[in-house]
Amino acid sequence: MIKNNMVSGFSFIKHGLTLEYPILESVQSIDPLCDEVVINVGFETPECDKDDGTYEYLRDNLTGERYKFIKSWWDPSIMSRGLILSQQTNIAMEACKGSIGQYIQGDEAIHEDDLPLIEEGIKKMVDRKEIEGLLYNYTHFFGNTDLYKFDPHSYRKEVRTVRLGIGLESYLDAQGFRFSDGRKPSAIETGARIFHYGWARRENAMSDKKRAFEKLYFGKDHESEEYTYDRIFGLRKFEGTHPALLKSWIEKNHNDVTFEQLNDPRIFANFKNWIRLMVEEYTGHMIGEFRNYKKIK
């Protein structure tokens, strides 16, 4: 049952403690926007009796009737191309009672300074039925939380607030949302930010994450090598502030890697990437950028 103007938060997670996700902080960052929050916690067995303690951890720290917890088995038969991620997102999404859904992934967070921007966007969604989603600007941290990626392969924007009950579903590996016929949602800019911490954890935690995620994309029998932070193109220093909720997590996950160690300054080896970034700087558009949305005003 869809309730008018009610905002439902939703998220999913599996092995959040083992993989050192800031899942609690992620959910808390959307909490002020929501009338209810649905959290789908993944388990290793069909009986949903085996996880790493994430379910109890979240239940102990997110109390009250407004929180709804779901136990879900991650079926290994669909662990390829990351499709299990969209399936688990959809399970949480389908349990929402509101007309507006506020999505957050377990390694993402919203800055408290941006809450008024999102609230204004939600008001516009209520008033204008043609708006099917809200767009957020992404900051993808890498190596450390004072460094972020700004390369042609890192998506700049994505939808994280959606209109519920109109047929939208999580798409492929859950980066964004589409309709079942492939149509992209019509979305407006909010100016709000999503801080993405998925690649800014301690290296041993990153190795565990790499093993887990490669099994999701390449099958349960895939073997992974240990993860190390390597030089990448398009690394920049982060000069802003993080969401206040992430303070303790950031201190715990600080790494001894620097911009000088990780940044790849080679011009000729990255010539095509430099050109794409220059075009974006002068036109505001990234050549060949993948978009899960249709931007409207």
Side-chain angles (χ1 to χ4, degrees):
M1 179 179 179
I2 300 294
K3 296 185 179 180
N4 289 336
N5 303 340
M6 177 176 173
V7 179
S8 297
F10 63 103
S11 187
F12 75 97
I13 192 69
K14 182 186 179 188
H15 290 170
L17 296 181
T18 301
L19 302 180
E20 299 188 0
Y21 276 81
I23 177 60
L24 176 62
E25 295 83 356
S26 294
V27 173
Q28 290 173 329
S29 77
I30 66 169
D31 188 88
L33 300 165
C34 303
D35 299 294
E36 68 164 2
V37 182
V38 178
I39 306 165
N40 176 18
V41 182
F43 283 74
E44 295 182 18
T45 61
E47 296 77 19
C48 293
D49 58 3
K50 184 181 180 183
D51 80 330
D52 68 343
T54 297
Y55 183 82
E56 293 299 328
Y57 169 71
L58 293 174
R59 284 292 299 266
D60 289 345
N61 286 280
L62 299 171
T63 58
E65 295 182 358
R66 60 201 304 271
Y67 296 104
K68 180 176 182 179
F69 293 89
I70 300 172
K71 293 181 178 181
S72 183
W73 175 46
W74 285 40
D75 185 349
S77 69
I78 57 174
M79 286 190 182
S80 63
R81 296 192 298 151
L83 295 178
I84 191 75
L85 304 179
S86 59
Q87 184 216 38
Q88 295 299 314
T89 297
N90 287 328
I91 289 173
M93 191 177 179
E94 290 164 6
C96 293
K97 296 180 180 178
S99 59
I100 304 294
Q102 181 62 57
Y103 183 48
I104 197 76
Q105 293 190 355
D107 56 4
E108 300 175 342
I110 288 172
H111 200 293
E112 62 272 12
D113 290 350
D114 294 345
L115 292 174
L117 297 174
I118 302 167
E119 290 170 348
E120 182 61 30
I122 290 174
K123 289 179 183 177
K124 291 179 180 179
M125 291 184 74
V126 171
D127 294 336
R128 296 172 53 192
K129 298 303 180 184
E130 74 273 19
I131 302 174
E132 297 165 333
L134 300 181
L135 282 173
Y136 292 75
N137 298 320
Y138 264 74
T139 301
H140 302 278
F141 295 99
F142 181 83
N144 259 327
T145 52
D146 55 359
L147 305 173
Y148 69 101
K149 295 194 297 181
F150 197 81
D151 64 282
H153 308 291
S154 298
Y155 51 95
R156 305 288 193 261
K157 302 177 186 292
E158 193 50 89
V159 171
R160 281 294 177 264
T161 309
V162 295
R163 187 178 300 281
L164 298 173
I166 62 172
L168 275 174
E169 301 173 344
S170 182
Y171 183 66
L172 294 180
D173 61 355
Q175 178 181 310
F177 297 87
R178 299 277 184 100
F179 291 91
S180 58
D181 62 1
R183 184 170 71 85
K184 302 176 182 181
S186 297
I188 62 170
E189 296 267 16
T190 62
R193 298 160 291 172
I194 292 287
F195 289 65
H196 179 208
Y197 297 97
W199 299 96
R201 280 173 273 187
R202 296 181 298 115
E203 285 189 340
N204 61 336
M206 289 301 302
S207 291
D208 291 338
K209 175 190 173 179
K210 182 173 182 285
R211 280 190 289 269
F213 266 67
E214 288 187 353
K215 290 181 186 297
L216 300 183
Y217 284 85
F218 305 116
K220 61 184 180 65
D221 297 323
H222 180 80
E223 296 295 332
S224 302
E225 297 179 355
E226 291 295 308
Y227 183 85
T228 57
Y229 284 111
D230 296 322
R231 282 181 177 267
I232 64 167
F233 170 80
L235 200 62
R236 296 183 177 183
K237 295 181 180 180
F238 180 67
E239 305 292 349
T241 63
H242 292 274
L245 287 164
L246 270 292
K247 183 176 186 296
S248 295
W249 185 89
I250 288 171
E251 291 174 353
K252 178 182 176 182
N253 285 273
H254 182 76
N255 291 304
D256 294 326
V257 292
T258 65
F259 175 82
E260 289 71 24
Q261 289 173 300
L262 296 184
N263 184 53
D264 184 354
R266 296 175 299 168
I267 296 178
F268 292 108
N270 297 296
F271 182 72
K272 291 182 179 179
N273 289 328
W274 280 111
I275 293 298
R276 293 176 69 185
L277 288 183
M278 289 175 61
V279 171
E280 180 185 21
E281 181 177 354
Y282 285 102
T283 68
H285 298 283
M286 171 60 66
I287 299 173
E289 182 182 9
F290 177 77
R291 295 184 179 183
N292 272 317
Y293 54 86
K294 176 184 177 183
K295 189 161 68 171
I296 61 174
K297 295 183 178 180

